[in-house]
Amino acid sequence: MQTPTSAPESSPRPKRRKAKWLIVPTAVVLTCLACSGKGILDEGIQEKTTACPKAMSTIGWKLPEGASDQHCEKLDTLVGSTVSGTFRIPRAHARLWLAALPGERNRPVEGAGADGVVERREGLSLTILKPPKGPADAVRITALWEGNDTAVVTFQTFDY
């Protein structure tokens, strides 16, 4: 005796097709979002060469007389901006210039004079905790000796 066969169950295929139709648009949307997000991040960080007197003026300082081989940059990000640069000055003027820079000095550290300038065999360094102008929280300056007559000065602002 034959048993009646039950009606075939509905095929799960249409459900799979629906799932495929949901996956493809979702993947396209996510890809577009990832690409546009990358563009936003790329545009959010902009490094620009700037004149050193202008870079120094943003923190309330003046470029020392006799500065040569100047190269300064401004970096704008989504959270703020920093300036940095290098230039050469006569070695004989380096300590006087560093000591005269306005701003709140770091607490005395080993090797620092009363003016906050640290003197080492290779050159000088100074950290200013708060420059007189601008949004920077600190500035680090070094003057490395380059021969007997020249110092290479490097400075960089920091936002904490």
Side-chain angles (χ1 to χ4, degrees):
M1 184 167 173
Q2 284 188 349
T3 60
T5 58
S6 59
E9 293 182 24
S10 60
S11 172
R13 258 192 137 128
K15 289 181 183 177
R16 286 187 187 153
R17 284 187 190 158
K18 286 181 183 177
K20 284 182 185 177
W21 285 108
L22 291 175
I23 291 172
V24 171
T26 303
V28 169
V29 168
L30 292 175
T31 302
C32 290
L33 287 174
C35 290
S36 68
K38 184 180 182 308
I40 291 169
L41 291 176
D42 288 345
E43 290 176 13
I45 299 175
Q46 298 177 4
E47 190 172 330
K48 302 174 193 171
T49 299
T50 187
C52 283
K54 184 176 180 179
M56 297 293 277
S57 73
T58 63
I59 51 179
W61 295 349
K62 290 184 179 182
L63 193 66
E65 289 187 34
S68 63
D69 300 326
Q70 303 169 23
H71 179 76
C72 292
E73 294 179 343
K74 182 176 182 186
L75 179 67
D76 291 318
T77 66
L78 295 172
V79 294
S81 65
T82 63
V83 291
S84 62
T86 61
F87 52 87
R88 287 179 168 77
I89 61 173
R91 183 174 171 166
H93 299 153
R95 181 165 190 110
L96 293 173
W97 180 73
L98 285 174
L101 289 173
E104 183 182 325
R105 300 290 203 263
N106 201 356
R107 286 186 283 164
V109 294
E110 187 178 331
D115 54 11
V117 177
V118 177
E119 190 165 348
R120 303 245 193 287
R121 187 178 70 226
E122 64 275 2
L124 307 170
S125 66
L126 174 67
T127 299
I128 300 288
L129 294 178
K130 189 68 180 160
K133 183 178 168 188
D137 293 318
V139 185
R140 183 177 36 206
I141 311 111
T142 59
L144 298 178
W145 306 140
E146 184 179 67
N148 292 328
D149 299 329
T150 308
V152 177
V153 176
T154 303
F155 73 95
Q156 183 175 6
T157 63
F158 295 93
D159 292 329
Y160 298 118

